[in-house]
Amino acid sequence: MNEMSGLYSTLNVAVRGMTAQQKALDVTSHNIANAGTEGYSRQRATMETTRPFGMPSMNNAIGAGQLGTGVQVSSITRIRDSYLDYQVRTENGTMGLYEGREKFLTEVESIFNEVSDTGVSSMLGEVFNSWSSLSTSQNSNTRTVVAQKSKALTDQLNSTYNLLSKLKENCQQVIQKDVVDVNGMIDQIDELNQQVRAVKIGGNEPNDLMDKRDLLVDQLSTKFGISIDKKALAGEDLKATDNVGGPVPGDDLYFVRSDSKDDVSRFSYVSKIEKNTAGKYDVTYYKNGDISSDKNKVTITMDLTDTQYTDLDQNRVLWADKEGYAIDKDKNRIAGTDSKGAVTTITDGSVVATETDYQIFKPITGELNGYMSVQADIDKYIGELNNLAKAIAFSVNAVHSGESDATNDTLKFFVNSDVGGLEDKITAGNISVNKKILDDVMLINVGVGVTTGTSDGKRALAISQLRDVKLEIQSIGEVTTRDDLLTNRFSVDTTLGFNTVKSSSNGMTISGYFTDTVTRLADQTQYAKKTVKNHTTLLAGLNESRTSISSVSLDEEMANMIQFQHAYQANAKIISTVDELLDLVINGLKK
């Protein structure tokens, strides 16, 4: 009987061995099948010895030693380096930031189009050259050339302004799509988080679910900086790591929480900011960024300063609760009206926050930051283009009319096309040549007298010389007038015999100012491109390091498969041998 007991024990050891090797082969097969699956981490069957016979106790003397009972698979684990995950996600944020900036700065550069003959710089030169030609020959042909070259310049300024404005709108549309994508990814991560915990509670390892969750977290990290708090049962709490101003996400604003699916935050997108008749702003946002239906639209009336308006206009993303309603720093909903005119409130009827408590999401890294920050750059270039237009209009009009005060100028050469015949609030978007002059080029003032009709060409010469005059263009603002720019700079030129614009030691020439703008744009674009290139190399290295640890090596898996196969066959051979021995013992007793 002892022999049979021992044989049955050996049989059990072999069976356990076959079962363990079978599970190991299953894991190897799963690895091979997912060799090309994005985000998959190779898995490994961890084996351990089973509980042996002859465990030591007070009443059990250990003879020759404990007798082993075989092997079992204790767990199936995935091979993952959390520190490399952290490094990759940090680098993803930096890459997202500069890729977003490079994309739009490159488009800004192409809009300025300064490498061609139709760029603003080239046209500026042609305009001043046409005035120089007019100073030597005052016939209708040279006058027409001045008018048409000037019109071509204003058309180019209008076009550049409009294209930049449209590009900013495109950038905001990309932000809106990102908000929808981000909220969608967060929802998926939240759902996977709950599934992972449920599997862990059941005593199993949710390796594939955790891979899916990590892949989504990797993708989310390209949008903005994220931080993960590891929780029990493989749960994760997800939050933003960087936010300038507003609530501090590191304190209590989480996107995903293991212990609560309700106390979480999302993002909403500001689609429109319009000034109303009361002097305030009607700010319209869409819950969770979903603009597909008006049922998601909420309007808040806000009293914004110029700085707050610019801030909201360039960033466009509001902190919101899970349903997408804008919240304050204490996570209370902000009062607003929905598409049906109903006031938004918290479900339990609590007091809502005031209009001044809105919170803007301002990441300092990631794709969203790239799109937000590049809007500030676009606004800056639009502002500098407006300054250029004003400098051209103010200086040429002043010399053309002999007046530093626009109100005394009865025939302005450059005007605001939105308010015909006036110079008020002139920008690159509305600057145009006076229609009266385009219709009758003989109205162009060419000589010393602006009313006597003299045509000695001196006034045309003075306008052509404006290309070398240094103006304080950099100090021009939205409300700057001709008189403001030319104060103490408009006086009699004794050689020409009439008032002209004098240079400022702190100023820049019109062409020099624009060249400086284009140069800084080129520097910004090149910096973004070089940064993307450098971080592409760095990210590739980090991904390679992570891949070397987590990805499936077919050579290694084939070697493992052969090893497990041989072990399986050896255990099967033991069973076959025990079967023969049992047959010998049982059948031998009959003889």
Side-chain angles (χ1 to χ4, degrees):
M1 293 297 295
N2 287 336
E3 288 80 358
M4 289 185 65
S5 174
L7 288 175
Y8 282 125
S9 175
T10 304
L11 183 64
N12 287 332
V13 170
V15 170
R16 290 192 184 102
M18 286 185 67
T19 302
Q21 302 307 320
Q22 178 62 59
K23 287 185 178 179
L25 280 169
D26 288 343
V27 172
T28 299
S29 176
H30 187 53
N31 285 340
I32 293 172
N34 286 280
T37 302
E38 183 183 7
Y40 178 79
S41 303
R42 67 187 176 94
Q43 298 176 13
R44 178 173 61 196
T46 303
M47 299 186 188
E48 65 178 12
T49 57
T50 52
R51 183 185 179 94
F53 283 134
M55 292 295 288
S57 66
M58 293 293 293
N59 300 318
N60 180 31
I62 303 177
Q66 290 179 306
L67 181 61
T69 58
V71 67
Q72 65 181 4
V73 175
S74 60
S75 65
I76 299 174
T77 57
R78 61 180 190 144
I79 310 302
R80 194 92 182 188
D81 189 319
S82 58
Y83 180 63
L84 280 174
D85 284 341
Y86 167 78
Q87 287 185 301
V88 167
R89 288 163 187 168
T90 301
E91 197 58 34
N92 278 342
T94 304
M95 273 290 292
L97 163 61
Y98 285 100
E99 281 183 332
R101 287 184 59 76
E102 179 198 12
K103 175 182 177 181
F104 282 95
L105 286 174
T106 301
E107 291 194 47
V108 172
E109 205 170 32
S110 65
I111 287 172
F112 275 100
N113 196 26
E114 283 308 297
V115 295
S116 74
D117 293 336
T118 58
V120 172
S121 293
S122 177
M123 289 187 170
L124 268 173
E126 291 180 6
V127 167
F128 286 125
N129 289 340
S130 67
W131 280 104
S132 180
S133 297
L134 183 58
S135 69
T136 59
S137 175
Q138 296 85 46
N139 57 47
S140 62
N141 289 336
T142 52
R143 289 169 181 265
T144 299
V145 170
V146 167
Q148 292 304 316
K149 290 292 184 182
S150 298
K151 184 179 184 302
L153 174 62
T154 59
D155 287 347
Q156 182 62 26
L157 288 171
N158 297 163
S159 174
T160 303
Y161 177 94
N162 292 331
L163 287 172
L164 287 175
S165 298
K166 181 61 178 176
L167 182 63
K168 183 179 176 182
E169 291 178 10
N170 293 343
C171 189
Q172 291 170 352
Q173 290 173 4
V174 173
I175 291 176
Q176 181 267 325
K177 291 175 182 177
D178 264 5
V179 168
V180 174
D181 290 343
V182 164
N183 286 325
M185 284 189 279
I186 291 172
D187 288 340
Q188 292 180 64
I189 293 170
D190 191 12
E191 185 63 31
L192 286 168
N193 208 40
Q194 300 305 317
Q195 293 177 16
V196 165
R197 283 170 54 84
V199 172
K200 288 290 287 185
I201 290 173
N204 295 313
E205 288 294 330
N207 295 318
D208 293 336
L209 290 174
M210 289 192 288
D211 280 344
K212 291 179 180 178
R213 184 178 64 184
D214 281 337
L215 179 60
L216 283 168
V217 172
D218 285 348
Q219 294 170 352
L220 186 63
S221 68
T222 66
K223 306 297 183 182
F224 55 87
I226 58 174
S227 176
I228 296 174
D229 292 343
K230 300 289 184 180
K231 298 297 181 180
L233 300 173
E236 294 181 349
D237 286 1
L238 183 67
K239 56 186 176 181
T241 57
D242 43 32
N243 183 64
V244 182
V248 182
D251 290 346
D252 60 356
L253 287 177
Y254 287 82
F255 304 117
V256 175
R257 295 184 74 108
S258 294
D259 57 355
S260 173
K261 295 190 67 175
D262 297 320
D263 186 19
V264 291
S265 298
R266 293 292 185 267
F267 295 129
S268 289
Y269 172 74
V270 175
S271 64
K272 188 183 297 183
I273 311 172
E274 290 184 326
K275 203 163 192 175
N276 58 32
T277 54
K280 293 188 176 184
Y281 290 90
D282 292 328
V283 178
T284 300
Y285 73 86
Y286 281 83
K287 294 180 288 183
N288 297 318
D290 184 2
I291 63 174
S292 62
S293 172
D294 276 352
K295 70 179 183 180
N296 299 316
K297 183 169 68 174
V298 179
T299 301
I300 305 174
T301 300
M302 297 183 179
D303 190 6
L304 303 173
T305 65
D306 290 343
T307 300
Q308 289 173 327
Y309 171 85
T310 300
D311 209 21
L312 188 59
D313 179 52
Q314 292 173 353
N315 289 275
R316 296 278 170 165
V317 182
L318 296 177
W319 283 97
D321 59 19
K322 188 176 181 180
E323 284 72 39
Y325 288 102
I327 58 174
D328 68 359
K329 58 184 175 59
D330 296 318
K331 296 186 283 188
N332 293 320
R333 285 183 184 172
I334 299 174
T337 54
D338 61 20
S339 58
K340 297 180 180 179
V343 177
T344 61
T345 61
I346 302 175
T347 305
D348 62 5
S350 303
V351 178
V352 294
T354 66
E355 64 186 46
T356 57
D357 291 332
Y358 68 94
Q359 302 296 327
I360 303 175
F361 179 56
K362 299 181 182 179
I364 59 175
T365 188
E367 194 175 281
L368 277 172
N369 174 266
Y371 297 145
M372 292 171 180
S373 63
V374 84
Q375 285 189 81
D377 293 313
I378 294 173
D379 280 344
K380 183 177 180 181
Y381 290 123
I382 289 176
E384 292 181 357
L385 204 63
N386 289 339
N387 289 356
L388 180 74
K390 289 178 181 178
I392 294 170
F394 293 166
S395 59
V396 171
N397 285 353
V399 177
H400 184 259
S401 65
E403 299 287 348
S404 63
D405 188 344
T407 57
N408 297 327
D409 187 348
T410 57
L411 184 65
K412 301 173 181 64
F413 190 88
F414 291 110
V415 296
N416 177 346
S417 60
D418 295 335
V419 287
L422 298 179
E423 196 179 87
D424 185 45
K425 295 182 180 179
I426 200 167
T427 68
N430 58 42
I431 187 174
S432 65
V433 178
N434 195 322
K435 188 175 185 303
K436 292 180 180 179
I437 291 177
L438 289 175
D439 291 341
D440 183 4
V441 294
M442 297 309 293
L443 294 176
I444 298 175
N445 294 325
V446 178
V448 174
V450 295
T451 56
T452 61
T454 13
S455 300
D456 52 32
K458 289 185 178 181
R459 195 168 295 276
L461 177 63
I463 293 177
S464 72
Q465 291 173 344
L466 287 174
R467 77 168 81 202
D468 300 318
V469 174
K470 293 182 179 180
L471 303 170
E472 293 185 14
I473 309 177
Q474 66 277 13
S475 64
I476 293 177
E478 188 174 345
V479 297
T480 300
T481 64
R482 185 198 302 186
D483 193 47
D484 295 332
L485 179 65
L486 302 182
T487 299
N488 299 325
R489 297 292 169 194
F490 195 65
S491 57
V492 175
D493 184 306
T494 54
T495 302
L496 297 174
F498 54 85
N499 288 339
T500 58
V501 180
K502 305 298 181 182
S503 286
S504 167
S505 58
N506 298 321
M508 305 173 70
T509 63
I510 292 173
S511 296
Y513 177 79
F514 187 69
T515 300
D516 181 65
T517 296
V518 173
T519 300
R520 280 187 287 105
L521 170 60
D523 288 342
Q524 276 191 308
T525 307
Q526 285 303 312
Y527 178 76
K529 288 180 177 179
K530 289 179 181 177
T531 304
V532 168
K533 183 177 180 180
N534 292 338
H535 283 278
T536 298
T537 303
L538 180 56
L539 184 58
L542 290 172
N543 277 321
E544 185 177 350
S545 297
R546 186 165 69 167
T547 299
S548 67
I549 294 173
S550 299
S551 69
V552 175
S553 168
L554 291 177
D555 291 338
E556 182 180 348
E557 297 303 326
M558 291 298 292
N560 288 340
M561 183 180 68
I562 294 172
Q563 175 187 341
F564 299 143
Q565 177 190 5
H566 287 171
Y568 185 92
Q569 290 172 340
N571 281 285
K573 181 64 176 176
I574 292 175
I575 292 175
S576 175
T577 301
V578 170
D579 179 60
E580 292 177 4
L581 292 175
L582 285 172
D583 179 67
L584 177 64
V585 171
I586 294 172
N587 293 328
L589 291 175
K590 294 180 181 180
K591 296 179 181 180

